[in-house]
Amino acid sequence: MTSYQRIIAAIILISTIFLCNAKEKPWDHGALTVSANHLYLQHADGTPFFWLSDTGWLLPQRLDRDEADFYLAQTAEAGFNVVQVQVLNAVPSVNCYGRLSHTDGWNMPAAPASGDYGYWEHLDYIVDSAARHGVYIGMVCIWGGLVKNGLMDGEQAKAYGEFLARRYGDRPNIVWMIGGDIQGDVKHDVWDTLARTIKANDLGHLMTFHPRGRTTSARWWADAPWIDFHTFQSGHRRYGQRMGNKDYPIPDNTEEDSWMYVDSVRKYAPVRPVLDSEPSYEGIPQGLHSADEPLWTDRDVRRYAYWSVFAGACGHTYGHNNIMQFARPGVAGAYFADGEDKPWYKALRDPGRNQMRYLRQLMLAFPYFGRVADQSIVIDNGERYERLAATRGDDYLMVYNHTGRPMTLDLTRISGNEKKVWLMNPADGSLRYVGLTSEKTYRHTPQPGADLVLIATDSAAPYLTEEMTVLPLPMSVPEAKDLTE
């Protein structure tokens, strides 16, 4: 590269960084907090925050600086506002530069080492790069299996928690995720110590727990003082894939019913927001453990997302088999991810990943905090794939139909003598006005075989117009409403 080319490259890099920094960031609206009705997340100034996360588990270990910048830029462009990562996937963990996370056991460094680009300096860079792109990092502090196998005890958890809070407590774009694919009763005291230690040193960031498949964090941490919102892992099995479990936490043949976890969390006190932090990944075998099984597709990941969010979840997490572990030529992928055929940077273009933005746009196109799940909207509902998921506010409702089956809806659940009706295609975000109706019981027969969202509003509601062919951009104006009335 010539001197001239180096100067031009430097100008482009500086310009890119300036533009990223100049753009409004989510935390410009204040720190994340829980809404007054305890069902959703918001910023301190009242702006709604709909959690839309990509799963980038091995980002700190697998990608270098340039790759991390590229991935995070593409992730923000796809509409995601959170990336979930494993801070430690081994003890010690090693990154792409060959730097170890533990150079002196659990005597963690008090501050960045001067002049040394080590493991933690690389994680610093990733966190800061995410911030430049307006993305939060959901920090799974240490993967559950490591704690289960005795690689971190209570005293070590205390030292590690102090280190993490000291190092990242002043970053605006952190959400703490305790656990990591593990039940909360496995090394319960270690997890509690880690969580309490971080919270004692950092009150400025939200915290949750990432549980084992087919379980919720509320099962063990319902009244824990450190947990701000719950998550569940609906997991990767299809209906009927019991796979020999002796202690099965859910009824048989409900494996794909992601909505039921939202319902189950509502039975615990106190009420907290909840979301699916690990549903079925796009491009991963059904059940995980056999290459002979079919792969989950974009249509499957849409169903998981709309089912749980319409049940009342405060957001959703997407995952892709080849992206979450950053498979590529020469880097082996678990769960039969073929890094030769589809390296992670090509998987960024897969359809399911680029369709999640439409869910976020849909949720933020209407008044946010008053939305509730309401299955009474659906008359003669079905089971499994035939089940219609319904949600509403005072003057709008939405119904997700996975199979395109005929549906009969009770429009009296929202205000207005006349209702306007639209159809949204969740695969491309397109919107089509159907018409005006005064019917109390509304029947619609879609084209079978394709999923869709039916939207109905009070004819006087201002949210959509008949001319719209796409959803409006998300509302960014705070909703000044006292929900404690």
Side-chain angles (χ1 to χ4, degrees), residues 156-350:
Q156 293 163 342
K158 187 173 185 297
Y160 183 44
E162 290 173 348
F163 163 74
L164 288 176
R166 185 168 60 243
R167 190 163 192 129
Y168 299 107
D170 63 346
R171 298 308 207 278
N173 60 324
I174 298 296
V175 178
W176 300 111
M177 302 185 79
I178 308 302
D181 193 32
I182 194 166
Q183 296 179 184
D185 56 354
V186 177
K187 303 290 184 177
H188 181 279
D189 291 346
V190 175
W191 296 120
D192 191 56
T193 296
L194 178 62
R196 287 175 180 270
T197 301
I198 293 174
K199 274 288 190 176
N201 292 276
D202 175 20
L203 294 175
H205 297 107
L206 296 181
M207 179 176 284
T208 188
F209 184 92
H210 179 273
R212 185 76 171 166
R214 292 157 299 283
T215 64
T216 75
S217 58
R219 182 176 176 181
W220 303 284
W221 308 108
D223 60 353
W226 49 262
I227 199 162
D228 297 298
F229 65 99
H230 290 300
T231 78
F232 58 92
Q233 182 186 162
S234 58
H236 308 277
R237 297 184 188 177
R238 67 169 179 266
Y239 288 123
Q241 275 189 322
R242 186 182 178 95
M243 302 181 74
N245 284 85
K246 296 179 180 178
D247 181 22
Y248 209 47
I250 61 173
D252 290 342
N253 297 308
T254 63
E255 288 81 358
E256 298 183 53
D257 290 341
S258 59
W259 51 268
M260 71 177 177
Y261 298 97
V262 182
D263 290 352
S264 73
V265 168
R266 296 288 183 248
K267 299 175 183 177
Y268 291 91
V271 175
R272 301 188 195 275
V274 62
L275 61 88
D276 193 345
S277 60
E278 190 171 342
S280 292
Y281 295 156
E282 189 170 13
I284 206 167
Q286 296 178 9
L288 295 183
H289 302 298
S290 172
D292 297 327
E293 297 289 352
L295 304 182
W296 294 110
T297 69
D298 59 312
R299 190 173 175 201
D300 298 308
V301 300
R302 292 198 302 271
R303 172 171 51 83
Y304 273 83
Y306 283 83
W307 271 1
S308 64
V309 170
F310 280 28
C314 65
H316 188 69
T317 299
Y318 163 87
H320 192 295
N321 191 26
N322 296 54
I323 296 172
M324 63 95 174
Q325 54 191 317
F326 298 97
R328 62 185 176 189
V331 178
Y335 307 116
F336 315 101
D338 188 342
E340 296 282 346
D341 178 63
K342 184 176 285 187
W344 66 268
Y345 41 85
K346 289 186 178 180
L348 294 176
R349 299 194 293 266
D350 273 10

Side-chain angles (χ1 to χ4, degrees), residues 30-45:
L32 291 179
T33 185
V34 174
S35 65
N37 62 5
H38 308 291
L39 297 178
Y40 301 109
L41 302 179
Q42 65 175 53
H43 293 280
D45 71 355

